[in-house]
Amino acid sequence: MTKVRSFFKDELFYDLLFFAFALLCMLAFIFIQPFGEGPDEINRFRIVWYIAQNGRLPRGDDPAVLIPGYGGSYAFQPMLTYILQGYLLWFLRLFTNRFDVLLVSARLVNAAFGLGAAFYVRKLSRLLFPYRLSQWVFSCLAVFLPQSIFIHTYVNTDSCAIFSVMMMFTEVLHGLKNGFRRPVCIRLAVGIILCALSYYNAYGAVLAVILLFISAFVRRIPAGTILPDGTAFPEKRLHVHLLPFLKKGLFISGIVLLGAGWWFLRNAVLYHGDFLGISARNACVMETCLPEYHPLLRTTYQTMGVSIWSMVFGTDFFTLLCRSFVAMFGPMNLPTHIYIYSSYYWIFGICLTAAVLPVGQKLYLTWQDRGHRLFTNAVMVLTCLIPIFLCVIYSYTWDFQPQGRYLMPMLPAFMYLVTLGEKKAAYILQALFDRLKLRALSSRVPAVMGGLVILFTIAALFYSVFLVMVPYYL
């Protein structure tokens, strides 16, 4: 009996509840939403089905995978998820040809990436924040965001990208804290490989991880310090430990080249040197699309001479982008409750504002010195800005698509900043109540604020899945 009680008090029990709730919500989507309800699932599934039928990867311009009307295909882009799903279905077709079984099996690959992302979120939370409540606030914000759950429930490469970003940030911060030992370097390299073979929009996270990795080998040396190699520093300065940086950096780079280089080499061979496949895809689109969808005839805000500012704030771009980052199911046609949107906006706005305040230095990244902590925060901000910039530029110059799923690679960095702001806001309120001699109230502020955020994320996800999505499809 004592062992049973101790299990329910153990952190593992709450972790299992956390994973179980995330999986339950994902399975509800996977089994209930019809084929093609996820954004462009039908055209993505063409690649999976091609591999399942032929046992090999398609060229990007293969007629079997072309997108009707629009031209081109998703086979020009990295497609590790489609490869895994395709060969899984190729195996399952030895036993059954039921389409519903095959479709659910393919979607479960995305759910596996979603569970993997949730696992790494829990590990990442313990590296970012020293207190359990802060760790749970971050975990619930990053995993229980309704759109974050939805992204793992239909055929796409986004879920692998999110998993890889979570993995990369966890491993690089683990290396910063405990040293880049060989197992950490290998796992970091695997994360970069998965990112490289998933989604171009997530490549900004690779840049962020590289910057954090470099920072591990940069130290501020006090004046008069003599290093082991005999080098003396008469003045305070930054010093790069070059030899260990090169050894570990080249080791990681070698694994990445072996694991991901084959895809870009394949592209270069198939598409006359275009190792990214972007130019080849654009050329294919122009050759295979209907006249009304031809890129040269497509009307964009750039060709209309409208400024980027006017597009973002003078149209419904900003509203749609924010809403679909929080929750917009199906092909961007199934919203959740308006109060869920407004509540998330208030949480994001207040917490991001509080995050920039220079208080509460012991609330986060306590194992880093002040300089590295500021650098880590700057990298987190950069990680958020890159996908936003790419999304805006793509909508402005190519195709107007204000979809929040394009911003998902910034999820860990964004929710870190939001959680940091929530902790700082609680810290400020505590200081205020202490000044007012309200000691009893002051001691409860962090628990109340953190608890409210956690309960809201759970309730918002439950409502969005079981009171919006499920009734809509059933």
Side-chain angles (χ1 to χ4, degrees), residues 23 26-39 41-42 45 48 81 85 88-89 92 99-114 149-156 159 469 473:
L23 179 61
M26 285 189 279
L27 291 178
F29 275 105
I30 287 171
F31 283 97
I32 292 175
Q33 65 180 344
F35 177 52
E37 279 297 285
E41 184 180 39
I42 293 175
F45 192 77
V48 177
T81 309
Q85 292 165 329
L88 173 63
L89 267 57
L92 292 177
F99 183 76
D100 56 344
V101 173
L102 298 176
L103 175 62
V104 166
S105 300
R107 287 175 171 177
L108 286 173
V109 173
N110 292 88
F113 280 122
I149 289 291
F150 174 59
I151 209 77
H152 302 297
T153 63
Y154 62 94
V155 175
N156 61 59
S159 57
M469 185 278 293
Y473 289 122

Side-chain angles (χ1 to χ4, degrees), residues 18-139:
F18 177 77
F19 298 138
F21 182 55
L23 179 61
L24 176 66
C25 294
M26 285 189 279
L27 291 178
F29 275 105
I30 287 171
F31 283 97
I32 292 175
Q33 65 180 344
F35 177 52
E37 279 297 285
D40 223 7
E41 184 180 39
I42 293 175
N43 291 316
R44 301 173 191 276
F45 192 77
R46 294 177 190 276
I47 302 168
V48 177
W49 193 243
Y50 180 97
I51 298 171
Q53 288 183 310
N54 300 281
R56 56 186 173 84
L57 309 188
R59 284 177 55 99
D61 54 1
D62 192 296
V65 297
L66 292 177
I67 302 173
Y70 289 93
S73 79
Y74 286 104
F76 286 100
Q77 299 160 305
M79 53 180 179
L80 176 63
T81 309
Y82 306 148
I83 295 171
L84 297 176
Q85 292 165 329
Y87 283 112
L88 173 63
L89 267 57
W90 174 84
F91 173 74
L92 292 177
R93 288 180 74 235
L94 299 175
F95 307 96
T96 180
N97 279 316
R98 284 188 53 177
F99 183 76
D100 56 344
V101 173
L102 298 176
L103 175 62
V104 166
S105 300
R107 287 175 171 177
L108 286 173
V109 173
N110 292 88
F113 280 122
L115 272 182
F119 170 78
Y120 267 106
V121 164
R122 292 296 297 136
K123 293 186 67 175
L124 181 59
S125 70
R126 297 180 180 106
L127 290 166
L128 294 172
F129 300 102
Y131 302 112
R132 285 181 61 188
L133 182 61
S134 304
Q135 296 165 7
W136 278 112
V137 170
F138 170 77
S139 300

